[in-house]
Amino acid sequence: MPPTDAAETAQTADPTDRERPCALVTNDDGVEGRGLAVLAVAALEAGFDVVVAAPSRDRSGASAAVDGELDGDRLPVAEVPLPWPDLAGPDQPDDDPQAWCAQARRHEGTDRLRVLAVGASPAFCTRVGLRGAFGGRVPDVVLSGVNHGMNTGEAVLHSGTVGAALTATVFGVRALAVSAGVASTQTLEVSATTWGAVLDAVRPALRWVLDHEPTGTLNVNVPHLDAGERVRGLRPATLAAAGVAQGSAFEAGEGYVRLTATTPLEDPPEDPGSDTVLLAQGWATATLLASVEQRTGVPLDDLDDLAGAVPAGTSPSTGR
């Protein structure tokens, strides 16, 4: 296939270059999530071959769970079409809301862009993908999202979008997690204007990730935008003490507890630079999240007393 963009032309024309690097794109909303296409296009623009390997169904809230719908030792994988959202904004033509992806769509189904529905959680998609499960390519970067709904504050712990990206970070691979504000928490629809702002934020965020060592996952959130609105810019942010929504138990019955989702208090968090505050002010935010690592500086010497209470070679439960 002839080259179709400047980056590809440069790589194809240089006989010393080997194959292009590979980007793995996943999410927790499932393979029908329209945000996958935004990350795929950004990766293609950056010169990557792209493998979209997303859960075959919605896995929201999966965190970093690694589970699959295995049939013996077989993980279900099927090639599917990629949903392409409409984009609107100052850099998008008014007469064709999908003009932004016309070039990328020509690559779909080729080695440049494969789209797979996987019977697995998002973190499991990442983990097996890093072992070359999807076509034998080991990804150089993992992009997760774009989540329908923002992932902010300490609630990112539960996000499957963030969990998939952090899994890559644990294994020393660069990772980016991206989430977008929604027009309604009932429909979880992302507006065309918001999608345009997401693409504008993803491009510099991906460049930052590629320019830095994989010491963490860059977590990017873009607020909801109505038609004609613009995001104020992309700013670094701290994690708020709480996320966009919290679960509260308000009724305990016989054999059940009824739960409801509540929004945080209207009073802003103490830190005016937190992600929830900046998003409410119209900024897109970026926060670098640490991967799982050993905690140092906390002495564990007192464990010796507990270990000494059980003679070596005996069972703590039986004493034999």
Side-chain angles (χ1 to χ4, degrees):
M1 179 177 292
T4 56
D5 57 52
E8 186 176 353
T9 301
Q11 292 191 359
T12 305
D14 187 349
T16 64
D17 279 351
R18 300 178 180 178
E19 64 181 354
R20 283 176 293 269
C22 178
L24 175 68
V25 176
T26 191
N27 71 357
D28 72 359
D29 289 317
V31 75
E32 295 182 356
R34 296 185 178 277
L36 291 166
V38 177
L39 298 184
V41 167
L44 285 167
E45 290 177 350
F48 287 82
D49 287 344
V50 177
V51 176
V52 176
S56 54
R57 60 180 176 85
D58 192 318
R59 294 293 192 113
S60 296
S63 188
V66 284
D67 63 284
E69 301 164 5
L70 297 173
D71 180 9
D73 60 354
R74 296 184 176 183
L75 182 66
V77 177
E79 194 145 358
V80 296
L82 183 65
W84 299 90
D86 293 345
L87 262 68
D91 298 324
Q92 305 299 330
D94 295 330
D95 59 338
D96 185 0
Q98 291 199 345
W100 71 281
C101 62
Q103 184 167 287
R105 295 183 73 166
R106 291 197 289 267
H107 293 305
E108 190 172 0
T110 73
D111 289 340
R112 297 269 0 239
L113 176 58
R114 298 179 63 223
V115 184
L116 305 173
V118 185
S121 63
F124 199 21
C125 289
T126 296
R127 188 154 187 173
V128 299
L130 293 177
R131 295 179 177 271
F134 307 122
R137 298 290 301 276
V138 176
D140 302 277
V141 65
V142 171
L143 311 180
S144 187
V146 174
N147 191 67
H148 291 234
M150 293 183 289
N151 280 305
T152 59
E154 295 176 0
V156 296
L157 172 68
H158 311 292
S159 165
T161 298
V162 175
L166 281 174
T167 299
T169 300
V170 168
F171 287 93
V173 177
R174 291 172 171 83
L176 172 66
V178 186
S179 303
V182 294
S184 164
T185 55
Q186 281 71 44
T187 64
L188 296 181
E189 286 295 320
V190 177
S191 70
T193 305
T194 303
W195 283 134
V198 169
L199 183 60
D200 289 340
V202 166
R203 285 167 171 154
L206 178 56
R207 287 197 300 270
W208 189 95
V209 168
L210 297 177
D211 287 343
H212 291 79
E213 292 298 317
T215 55
T217 288
L218 190 65
N219 184 45
V220 171
N221 284 279
V222 177
H224 165 70
L225 299 173
D226 289 320
E229 292 183 331
R230 299 188 66 170
V231 72
R232 296 176 66 180
L234 179 62
R235 285 187 57 177
T238 61
L239 283 179
V244 174
Q246 301 174 354
S248 298
F250 74 99
E251 180 184 343
E254 184 65 32
Y256 71 89
V257 174
R258 180 174 293 162
L259 303 177
T260 183
T262 61
T263 56
L265 298 175
E266 292 183 2
D267 293 335
E270 293 182 3
D271 183 2
S274 71
D275 46 15
T276 56
V277 170
L278 292 174
L279 286 162
Q281 295 172 351
W283 297 93
T285 63
T287 307
L288 190 62
L289 305 178
S291 64
V292 176
E293 59 185 16
Q294 179 182 343
R295 181 74 179 269
T296 60
V298 179
L300 301 177
D301 297 341
D302 50 341
L303 285 176
D304 291 341
D305 297 335
L306 297 176
V310 180
T314 63
S315 168
S317 59
T318 64
R320 299 194 298 271

